[in-house]
C-alpha cells in the first residue's frame, strides 16, 4: 500500500487557523472597545439616563404673558380658575375604559356624560370637535369653570374619581376692555401636539406636553415670547414609585408681555360703528334687486398714517375668543365653523378679498401720469364709453363734460379711466400684444404693493390679485378644461362666458382692461392693503409694513424690546403727483362724492381726504368701500353687499374720526372727549415689580344723533344743492 505524503494539506490548515485567530481577536477587540466606550467614554451620560428611568417629572406651567393695548390695558391676560382634568392614561387602564368615572364626573359637573366623554376623546381626521388635540399622556381639561363645591366633591371622594384632578390653575382670559372684542386680532390657544413638541425639541424654547400654543392672531405671532418656559422638578423614585429624593429642578420663567399699538377705546368704537353700519345698510332697499342689502360681512382698519401702526382693526361677523379657553364645546365650534356661520374666525381686514371699486382709482391715475398723461389735462367724462358693441356706463350714467384727472377722482368718473385704459391696451398691441408690452396700469398696481402681502404681524394674510397677463395665462391653463366642458355658445350668461373663456380666456381683452381701470373685474384687494396705500399718500409716499406689536416687555419689566416700524417701499409717484392726488382727495371730502358725509368738518384744522368706492360683484349686491385719511390717521371701511361707499360706510367712518378727535357733528372740538387726538408714541409705565400701569377704561357709549345728520349736498357747478337719502346716489360712489 502506497503512502501519500501529507505536505499539501498542512499549509491550508494553518491558514484557516490564522484566519480564525484574527476573527476571534477582532471580535474581542471590538467588544472591548465598545465596553470602554459605554463604561468609560460615555459612562456618566448612560449612568444619568439609567437614573432617569427612576425619575418622575412634575411640570409647573409658566404663566403666559399678557397682550396689552398701547396704554397698558390688558387685551389678553390670565386668571385663576378651578380646572377639572382627566388622565386618559389612567382611564384607559380601567375595564370600562373610564366610562363609569366620567359618568359620575358628569353628574358632579352638571354636564351630560357625552359632553364629558367628547372632551377626552382624541382628535383625528374622523373625529369632530370637541376633542383633545394635545398629547394623550397629558391631563385633559374637562372644564375650567368648576365651582369650589364641585372641586371639593371630587377631592373628598377620590376613590370614586381615579385619574381625575381638580386644581386651581392660571387660565387665559380675554377681558374685552371697554366693550372691545378684538377677537380676530388676538386669536386663541389650544394644546400643543406631539409633532410640535418634536419640531421645537432642539430650539431655545422647547415645548412640553402641558403647553398651550397660539393658533391664530397675536397669540400665534408672538407665541414664543408670550409662552415663557415651564418649570420642571425631577424626583428620584424607587421601583415602587416612592419618592426617595429630588434630582433637579428648573424654575418656571414667566412669559413676556406684548404691548400693542391697539387702543382699546378706539377698538370699541370701530367695532360698534362697523356693526352699526351693517345694521343700517340692511334697512335700505337695493334698487337693483328690490331687496334690502344683506350687509353680510365687513371690516374696518384704523392706522397711524406716519408709521403704519394699527390703532384698531375690526372684522364682522366676530366671535369671543373666550369660547376656546378650556376646550371649545361642540355647539360653539359649529357656530364658528358651520356652513351657516359666515366664518367669524376669518379676519376680513387681512383675509377678506374683494374688488375695490373706485378707491382703486388712485392707482390708474398714477399710471396715467407715469405714462405721460398730464394730471391737469382735459379728459372727456361722458355718461358711457363704447368698445365695439359693448357699452360701459358711468355710475348712475352721469356725465361731467371735460375734466382733469383730479376732478375725475373727485366725482369718481369711470369713463375717463375707461378711455385711458383702452388707449394703453391698444398701444400694447390689443389682442396681439407686443413682445414686451408696457402694461403700465398693471405694473403700477404691483408697485403700489398689490398682489402680495403687506407684511403685517398677523398670520395667514392673503395677497389679493392683480389680473395681469401672467395671471390670465395661469388662470386659463388651470380652468380651460372645465370651461370647454361647460361652455355653450348662445347659452346662459355663465355658459356663454365659459364658451368664450375656453377659446381665448388667456387673452387680455379690452373689456378686461377697462374694468380693471376702475377696480372691477378680477381685481382683488384686502382692506389692509388699501389702508397701507392711502396712509402712504398721506405720509409722503412711504409704504409701511402694518404692525400691531409695539414692544416686548419681560415679566420683571427689566428688558424692553421695541418693535420698530419697517417700510417695504415707496409709492411710484413723484412729489408733485402725490401733492396733486392729495389735493384731489381733499376735494372728494369737500366738494366731491364724500362731501355730503363731511358737512361741518373742520377742514382747516384737520384736513380730511377721502375716496368712495362701490364695487359690483356678479351674483351679489354691491360692495361698499370708504377710504379716508388725515395727517394722523388712515381709516378704511368695507361692507360686503352693503351698497354705496359713502352711503353705507361714510357716516360711520366719520363717527370714528369724531371719537378720535373729540368732534361733534357740527365740527366743534372738545379735547376732553377726544380719545386719541394724536397717535400714542410712548409705552405704558412699568413699575419696579414688573407690573404695568393701566388707566381705567369705561364702556363705549356712542353719541347717537337726534336728527338726520346728513347735511345738504352741494352738487356740481350749475346743479342745486340737495339733501340726499340713502336711495339717492347722485354725486356719490
Amino acid at each position: 500500500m502506497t503512502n501519500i505524503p501529507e505536505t499539501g494539506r498542512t499549509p491550508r490548515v494553518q491558514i484557516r487557523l490564522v484566519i480564525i485567530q484574527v476573527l476571534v481577536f477582532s471580535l474581542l477587540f471590538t467588544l472591548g472597545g465598545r465596553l470602554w466606550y459605554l463604561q468609560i467614554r460615555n459612562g456618566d451620560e448612560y449612568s444619568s439616563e439609567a437614573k432617569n428611568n427612576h425619575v418622575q417629572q412634575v411640570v409647573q406651567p409658566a404663566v403666559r404673558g399678557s397682550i396689552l393695548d398701547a396704554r397698558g390695558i390688558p387685551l389678553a391676560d390670565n386668571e385663576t380658575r378651578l380646572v377639572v382634568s382627566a388622565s386618559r392614561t389612567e382611564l384607559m387602564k380601567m375595564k370600562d375604559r373610564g366610562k363609569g368615572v366620567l359618568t359620575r364626573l358628569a353628574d358632579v359637573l352638571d354636564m351630560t356624560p357625552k359632553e364629558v366623554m367628547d372632551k377626552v376623546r382624541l382628535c383625528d381626521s374622523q373625529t369632530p370637535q370637541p376633542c383633545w388635540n394635545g398629547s394623550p399622556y397629558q391631563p385633559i381639561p374637562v372644564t375650567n369653570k368648576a365651582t369650589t363645591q364641585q372641586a371639593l366633591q371630587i377631592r373628598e371622594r377620590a376613590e370614586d374619581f381615579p385619574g381625575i384632578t381638580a386644581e386651581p390653575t392660571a387660565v387665559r382670559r380675554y377681558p374685552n376692555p371697554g366693550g372691545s372684542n378684538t377677537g380676530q386680532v388676538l386669536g386663541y390657544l389650544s394644546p400643543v401636539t406631539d409633532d410640535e413638541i418634536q419640531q421645537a425639541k432642539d430650539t431655545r424654547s422647547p415645548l412640553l406636553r402641558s403647553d398651550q400654543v397660539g393658533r391664530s392672531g397675536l397669540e400665534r405671532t408672538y407665541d414664543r415670547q408670550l409662552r415663557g418656559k415651564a418649570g420642571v422638578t425631577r424626583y428620584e423614585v424607587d421601583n415602587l414609585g416612592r419618592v426617595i429624593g429630588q434630582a433637579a429642578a428648573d424654575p418656571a420663567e414667566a412669559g413676556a408681555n406684548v404691548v400693542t399699538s391697539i387702543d382699546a377705546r378706539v377698538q370699541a368704537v370701530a367695532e360698534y360703528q362697523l356693526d352699526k353700519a351693517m345694521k343700517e345698510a340692511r334697512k335700505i332697499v337695493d334698487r337693483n334687486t328690490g331687496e334690502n342689502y344683506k350687509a353680510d360681512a365687513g371690516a374696518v382698519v384704523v392706522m397711524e398714517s406716519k408709521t403704519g401702526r394699527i390703532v384698531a382693526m375690526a372684522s364682522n361677523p366676530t366671535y369671543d375668543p373666550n369660547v376656546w379657553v378650556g376646550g371649545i364645546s361642540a355647539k360653539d365650534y359649529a357656530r364658528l365653523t358651520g356652513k351657516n356661520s359666515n366664518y367669524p374666525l376669518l379676519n376680513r381686514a387681512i383675509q377678506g378679498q374683494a374688488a375695490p371699486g373706485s378707491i382703486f382709482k388712485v392707482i390708474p391715475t398714477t399710471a396715467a401720469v407715469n405714462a405721460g398723461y398730464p394730471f391737469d389735462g382735459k379728459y372727456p367724462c361722458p355718461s358711457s364709453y363704447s368698445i365695439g358693441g359693448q357699452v360701459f356706463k358711468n355710475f348712475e350714467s352721469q356725465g361731467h363734460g371735460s375734466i382733469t384727472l383730479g376732478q375725475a377722482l373727485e366725482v369718481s368718473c369711470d369713463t375717463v379711466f375707461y378711455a385711458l385704459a383702452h388707449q394703453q391696451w391698444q398701444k400694447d398691441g390689443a389682442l396681439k400684444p407686443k413682445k414686451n408690452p408696457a402694461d403700465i396700469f398693471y405694473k403700477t398696481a404691483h408697485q403700489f404693493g398689490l398682489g402680495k402681502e403687506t407684511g403685517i404681524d398677523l398670520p395667514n394674510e392673503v395677497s389679493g390679485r392683480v389680473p395681469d397677463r401672467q395671471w390670465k395665462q395661469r388662470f386659463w391653463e388651470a380652468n380651460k378644461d372645465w370651461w370647454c366642458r361647460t361652455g355653450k355658445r348662445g347659452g346662459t350668461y355663465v355658459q356663454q362666458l365659459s364658451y368664450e373663456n375656453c377659446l381665448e380666456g388667456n387673452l387680455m381683452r379690452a373689456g378686461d382692461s377697462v374694468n380693471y381701470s376702475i377696480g372691477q373685474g378680477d381685481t382683488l384687494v384686502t382692506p389692509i392693503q388699501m389702508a397701507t396705500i392711502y396712509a402712504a399718500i398721506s405720509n409722503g409716499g412711504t409704504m409701511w409694513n402694518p404692525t400691531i406689536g409695539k414692544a416686548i416687555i419681560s415679566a420683571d419689566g427689566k428688558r424692553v424690546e421695541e418693535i420698530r416700524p419697517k417700510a417695504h417701499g415707496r409709492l411710484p409717484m413723484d412729489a408733485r403727483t402725490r401733492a396733486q392726488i392729495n389735493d384731489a382727495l381733499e376735494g372728494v371730502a369737500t366738494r366731491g362724492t364724500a362731501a355730503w358725509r363731511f358737512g361741518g368738518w373742520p377742514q382747516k384744522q384737520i384736513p380730511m381726504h377721502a375716496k368712495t368706492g362701490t364695487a359690483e360683484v356678479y351674483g351679489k349686491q354691491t360692495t361698499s368701500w370708504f377710504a379716508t385719511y388725515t395727517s394722523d390717521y388712515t381709516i378704511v371701511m368695507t361692507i360686503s353687499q352693503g351698497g354705496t361707499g359713502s352711503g353705507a360706510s361714510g357716516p360711520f367712518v366719520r363717527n370714528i374720526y369724531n371719537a378720535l378727535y373729540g368732534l361733534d357733528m357740527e365740527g366743534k372740538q372738545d379735547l376732553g372727549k377726544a380719545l386719541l387726538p394724536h397717535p400714542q408714541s410712548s409705552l405704558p409705565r412699568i413699575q419696579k415689580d414688573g407690573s404695568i400701569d393701566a388707566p381705567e377704561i369705561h364702556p363705549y357709549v356712542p353719541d347717537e344723533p337726534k336728527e338726520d345728520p346728513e347735511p345738504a349736498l352741494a352738487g356740481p357747478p350749475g346743479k342745486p344743492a340737495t339733501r340726499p337719502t340713502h336711495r339717492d346716489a347722485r354725486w356719490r360712489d
Side-chain angles (χ1 to χ4, degrees):
M1 192 173 184
T2 307
N3 292 326
I4 301 174
E6 303 261 343
T7 55
R9 296 181 181 179
T10 302
R12 286 199 296 271
V13 171
Q14 290 177 341
I15 291 172
R16 289 173 184 169
L17 288 173
V18 170
I19 292 173
I20 292 171
Q21 289 174 346
V22 170
L23 288 174
V24 169
F25 282 116
S26 297
L27 290 172
L28 289 173
F29 179 79
T30 301
L31 180 60
R34 183 61 178 166
L35 289 173
W36 175 86
Y37 179 82
L38 293 175
Q39 295 183 359
I40 299 175
R41 173 68 172 77
N42 282 7
D44 292 341
E45 178 183 343
Y46 288 105
S47 176
S48 176
E49 288 192 13
K51 289 181 181 179
N52 286 337
N53 289 332
H54 297 283
V55 171
Q56 292 292 330
Q57 294 184 349
V58 176
V59 177
Q60 178 189 356
V63 176
R64 192 173 179 86
S66 297
I67 300 176
L68 311 172
D69 89 337
R71 301 190 304 155
I73 296 170
L75 301 173
D77 59 7
N78 308 289
E79 65 178 349
T80 301
R81 295 186 190 175
L82 285 171
V83 176
V84 175
S85 302
S87 170
R88 182 178 173 83
T89 304
E90 294 297 319
L91 295 175
M92 292 299 102
K93 293 178 182 177
M94 302 174 189
K95 290 183 178 180
D96 63 353
R97 302 176 70 83
K99 185 176 180 180
V101 172
L102 295 178
T103 301
R104 290 192 292 274
L105 181 62
D107 186 56
V108 171
L109 298 177
D110 295 325
M111 299 171 68
T112 66
K114 183 179 185 305
E115 287 176 326
V116 175
M117 292 176 190
D118 285 351
K119 288 269 190 175
V120 300
R121 64 183 177 177
L122 301 181
C123 291
D124 58 31
S125 59
Q126 305 298 321
T127 305
Q129 286 282 353
C131 57
W132 177 249
N133 67 349
S135 168
Y137 305 106
Q138 177 183 341
I140 302 172
V142 176
T143 181
N144 60 11
K145 299 177 181 178
T147 65
T148 304
Q149 184 62 34
Q150 290 170 335
L152 286 173
Q153 286 187 59
I154 294 169
R155 302 193 73 162
E156 289 174 354
R157 297 163 48 197
E159 69 281 1
D160 292 334
F161 299 102
I164 306 299
T165 57
E167 298 176 344
T169 306
V171 174
R172 203 59 165 168
R173 179 181 73 130
Y174 301 94
N176 304 329
S180 62
N181 176 270
T182 331
Q184 292 91 348
V185 173
L186 294 173
Y188 58 91
L189 306 176
S190 71
V192 67
T193 64
D194 286 342
D195 287 343
E196 289 168 330
I197 291 173
Q198 289 300 317
Q199 291 172 7
K201 191 174 182 180
D202 298 324
T203 66
R204 293 179 60 188
S205 182
L207 292 166
L208 299 175
R209 297 193 186 280
S210 58
D211 282 332
Q212 297 247 326
V213 295
R215 293 301 179 196
S216 68
L218 296 174
E219 293 278 28
R220 176 173 168 181
T221 300
Y222 297 102
D223 180 71
R224 182 177 59 82
Q225 295 89 338
L226 289 165
R227 190 173 66 243
K229 184 179 179 182
V232 180
T233 302
R234 300 171 183 84
Y235 293 99
E236 294 182 2
V237 297
D238 60 17
N239 291 335
L240 298 177
R242 293 173 299 196
V243 176
I244 59 177
Q246 182 174 317
D250 299 324
E253 297 177 11
N257 299 312
V258 175
V259 177
T260 71
S261 54
I262 297 289
D263 187 298
R265 302 167 302 171
V266 182
Q267 179 70 28
V269 173
E271 290 174 2
Y272 176 88
Q273 294 298 337
L274 175 62
D275 186 64
K276 186 72 181 295
M278 293 170 63
K279 288 177 179 176
E280 290 298 314
R282 293 176 194 137
K283 299 176 183 178
I284 309 304
V285 176
D286 179 2
R287 286 181 292 173
N288 294 320
T289 65
E291 301 175 351
N292 285 21
Y293 285 108
K294 294 180 175 62
D296 54 351
V300 62
V301 175
V302 182
M303 176 186 288
E304 292 180 9
S305 297
K306 293 183 177 69
T307 65
R309 295 192 186 278
I310 303 300
V311 179
M313 176 181 285
S315 180
N316 194 310
T318 189
Y319 73 99
D320 182 359
N322 285 298
V323 300
W324 292 91
V325 176
I328 191 168
S329 69
K331 182 179 180 182
D332 285 332
Y333 189 79
R335 183 172 57 83
L336 296 181
T337 62
K339 291 182 179 179
N340 298 323
S341 67
N342 204 12
Y343 308 108
L345 295 178
L346 202 66
N347 184 348
R348 286 173 165 82
I350 66 169
Q351 296 172 303
Q353 303 180 107
S358 292
I359 69 167
F360 182 77
K361 288 176 181 172
V362 295
I363 294 169
T365 298
T366 304
V369 173
N370 291 346
Y373 295 91
F375 189 90
D376 292 327
K378 293 294 183 177
Y379 305 92
C381 176
S383 61
S384 63
Y385 187 84
S386 298
I387 300 177
Q390 193 170 3
V391 178
F392 297 85
K393 293 185 178 181
N394 219 355
F395 186 72
E396 292 286 312
S397 299
Q398 182 70 37
H400 295 279
S402 185
I403 59 177
T404 66
L405 288 178
Q407 290 170 322
L409 286 174
E410 289 181 20
V411 300
S412 206
C413 178
D414 292 341
T415 49
V416 166
F417 297 98
Y418 290 155
L420 293 173
H422 190 208
Q423 291 169 23
Q424 287 301 304
W425 176 78
Q426 291 174 322
K427 286 182 180 180
D428 286 334
L431 289 174
K432 297 180 180 180
K434 300 175 182 177
K435 185 176 181 180
N436 294 304
D439 283 339
I440 190 163
F441 276 43
Y442 297 96
K443 290 179 180 178
T444 301
H446 285 294
Q447 292 170 335
F448 268 79
L450 297 183
K452 60 183 179 182
E453 297 86 352
T454 63
I456 189 171
D457 53 346
L458 287 176
N460 302 319
E461 180 188 5
V462 298
S463 62
R465 181 168 69 207
V466 177
D468 53 20
R469 295 181 194 275
Q470 292 74 26
W471 175 83
K472 288 276 290 184
Q473 182 66 29
R474 292 194 303 268
F475 190 68
W476 180 72
E477 291 171 356
N479 293 280
K480 180 184 177 183
D481 291 343
W482 184 84
W483 282 332
C484 294
R485 189 167 59 251
T486 60
K488 180 180 179 182
R489 184 175 184 178
T492 64
Y493 173 79
V494 174
Q495 290 174 329
Q496 178 65 27
L497 188 63
S498 294
Y499 171 77
E500 294 173 359
N501 283 334
C502 170
L503 298 177
E504 54 179 22
N506 59 332
L507 297 180
M508 183 67 71
R509 289 170 278 197
D512 296 325
S513 292
V514 299
N515 269 328
Y516 166 80
S517 72
I518 62 165
Q520 294 280 180
D522 294 310
T523 308
L524 293 176
V525 302
T526 63
I528 195 66
Q529 288 175 324
M530 300 313 296
T532 301
I533 287 171
Y534 277 85
I537 298 173
S538 170
N539 68 37
T542 301
M543 292 186 288
W544 294 102
N545 293 7
T547 53
I548 299 177
K550 198 172 183 180
I552 308 294
I553 301 178
S554 62
D556 57 11
K558 295 180 180 179
R559 297 186 305 278
V560 178
E561 177 190 347
E562 290 195 45
I563 302 170
R564 301 192 179 279
K566 296 180 181 178
H568 60 262
R570 290 190 59 81
L571 295 178
M573 60 177 72
D574 58 27
R576 183 168 182 268
T577 301
R578 192 208 68 83
Q580 290 171 321
I581 291 177
N582 183 69
D583 290 343
L585 296 176
E586 184 174 0
V588 173
T590 57
R591 58 183 176 269
T593 57
W596 69 303
R597 287 310 188 189
F598 287 104
W601 181 265
Q603 192 68 18
K604 290 184 179 179
Q605 293 77 24
I606 309 171
M608 175 62 66
H609 306 74
K611 187 69 194 82
T612 56
T614 306
E616 296 180 0
V617 182
Y618 176 72
K620 292 187 176 182
Q621 296 167 314
T622 54
T623 300
S624 168
W625 284 92
F626 204 60
T628 59
Y629 64 83
T630 63
S631 61
D632 301 304
Y633 301 106
T634 297
I635 301 180
V636 172
M637 181 181 286
T638 183
I639 302 174
S640 169
Q641 303 198 87
T644 64
S646 60
S649 301
F652 305 97
V653 168
R654 174 166 182 172
N655 288 344
I656 298 174
Y657 279 114
N658 287 348
L660 284 166
Y661 289 111
L663 297 168
D664 61 20
M665 290 305 296
E666 296 178 355
K668 296 179 181 178
Q669 188 174 33
D670 182 352
L671 288 176
K673 294 182 178 180
L675 297 182
L676 207 60
H678 302 289
Q680 176 86 21
S681 57
S682 61
L683 294 173
R685 191 179 0 171
I686 307 167
Q687 300 294 343
K688 292 182 179 179
D689 62 357
S691 62
I692 296 176
D693 275 349
E696 187 178 356
I697 184 170
H698 302 284
Y700 170 58
V701 179
D703 292 329
E704 298 289 359
K706 296 180 181 179
E707 299 179 358
D708 178 11
E710 298 176 356
L713 165 67
K719 295 288 184 180
T722 60
R723 179 177 292 278
T725 65
H726 287 287
R727 295 188 61 174
D728 183 357
R730 288 179 297 174
W731 326 129
R732 290 182 281 142
D733 200 351

